[in-house]
Amino acid sequence: MPEILLRIKRQDPRSKKDPAPRWEEYTIPYDVNLTVLEALFHVQENHDGSLSFRYCCRASICGSCAMYINGAYRLACQTNVKHLDTNVVTVEPMPHLPLVKDLVVDMDEFFAKYEYIEPWLIRNSPDPEKEIRQSPKDRKKLDMPVDCILCGCCYSSCPSAWGEDNYLGPAALLKAYRFEVDSRDEAGKERLPLWSNERGVYRCHTIMNCVEACPKELNPTEGIQWLKKAAVRRRLFGRAK
């Protein structure tokens, strides 16, 4: 059976014996359907059970297995080794995020910023007796932002997030955009101070790393630029849309 060489960057910052990063190599049996996630499982089950990585595939929580694979942000479960067109596959944790162990990074700050922008539908009107209807045109506005799976790739790739700890980041701002364009939401004025500031949209310098990194091919930069314009319209004319 053909084989591939899997190179994994490993480190346990809490270990007193070997806290420094190192590369470990494993030879993995290969078939045309092999994904990087399956290769990691093979290592864990047959070579080293201490290998740590995060995944939650097939549990409706897509995005957990985001990693840096062969020099690009990818989802391990969706990355077929065949499509990498190489016999050597390198796997690293997402850079610029605190490391927990091996391929697991600390996402606490990422999700704290996500929750900060209140990413849920808010209604100030009395609860309707029926569902809130939405036209196909209004629903179309949500097509891009609702596909965000909160994998953190855009946040990890963003230079503004590297240099400014308080920056909300592209994922949180994309979710702010998602509710700003939702015709059913009524909390635009309340949310405005959360993202219309130096910690929010004005920290984005339109470098667009987030667009390149996103495994779902979304465009957080587009959403952030829309928010900038919406903030100006709201402050000048009292409206955003």
Side-chain angles (χ1 to χ4, degrees):
M1 177 178 285
E3 297 177 332
I4 63 163
L5 182 66
L6 190 67
R7 300 184 70 243
I8 304 176
K9 190 174 185 179
R10 303 194 60 182
Q11 181 182 4
D12 185 354
R14 299 167 297 180
S15 172
K16 295 181 179 179
K17 295 182 179 179
D18 189 16
R22 66 190 185 280
W23 288 95
E24 293 192 355
E25 299 182 348
Y26 306 91
T27 301
I28 307 295
Y30 167 78
D31 67 65
V32 294
N33 297 315
L34 180 70
T35 66
V36 172
L37 183 63
E38 290 169 339
L40 293 174
F41 278 128
H42 183 89
V43 171
Q44 195 178 63
E45 294 169 2
N46 298 280
H47 297 277
D48 187 347
S50 69
L51 175 64
S52 297
F53 54 92
R54 182 182 284 127
Y55 74 97
C56 207
C57 305
R58 301 179 181 88
S60 298
I61 310 177
C62 191
S64 301
C65 64
M67 302 173 190
Y68 202 61
I69 301 171
N70 277 25
Y73 291 91
R74 308 175 195 265
L75 300 178
C77 66
Q78 291 186 354
T79 303
N80 193 303
V81 172
K82 176 183 178 181
H83 298 155
L84 295 176
D85 196 27
T86 178
N87 292 325
V88 179
V89 179
T90 62
V91 187
E92 306 172 60
M94 288 193 293
H96 310 292
L97 294 175
L99 182 68
V100 177
K101 184 185 177 187
D102 295 338
L103 303 174
V104 180
V105 294
D106 188 342
M107 300 285 284
D108 286 351
E109 185 175 281
F110 171 82
F111 282 108
K113 293 176 178 178
Y114 164 68
E115 293 177 6
Y116 175 79
I117 57 98
E118 300 180 357
W120 50 81
L121 196 68
I122 299 175
R123 297 281 296 177
N124 297 319
S125 302
D127 292 339
E129 295 182 2
K130 298 181 180 179
E131 69 275 8
I132 305 169
R133 302 189 68 177
Q134 195 171 45
S135 70
K137 181 180 179 181
D138 285 337
R139 177 57 182 81
K140 186 70 175 177
K141 297 175 182 178
L142 305 180
D143 283 356
M144 188 268 287
V146 296
D147 282 343
C148 174
I149 55 176
L150 298 173
C151 63
C153 289
C154 62
Y155 184 77
S156 170
S157 73
C158 178
S160 295
W162 307 343
E164 176 54 70
D165 292 339
N166 291 325
Y167 176 47
L168 292 174
L173 293 173
L174 181 63
K175 288 297 182 178
Y177 166 73
R178 176 255 180 274
F179 286 99
E180 282 292 322
V181 297
D182 194 326
S183 60
R184 301 164 297 177
D185 189 83
E186 297 178 339
K189 290 184 179 180
E190 290 83 348
R191 284 201 192 90
L192 179 65
L194 301 180
W195 52 261
S196 180
N197 52 56
E198 283 298 320
R199 183 188 181 189
V201 293
Y202 303 115
R203 184 60 61 182
C204 173
H205 300 303
T206 326
I207 298 171
M208 300 187 73
N209 278 16
C210 55
V211 180
E212 182 178 352
C214 180
K216 300 293 286 184
E217 299 182 351
L218 306 183
N219 193 332
T221 301
E222 178 183 311
I224 294 171
Q225 299 313 304
W226 188 96
L227 288 175
K228 290 179 181 179
K229 291 186 289 185
V232 173
R233 289 195 297 267
R234 183 170 293 154
R235 294 184 188 280
L236 291 178
F237 309 114
R239 58 185 178 85
K241 301 177 184 179

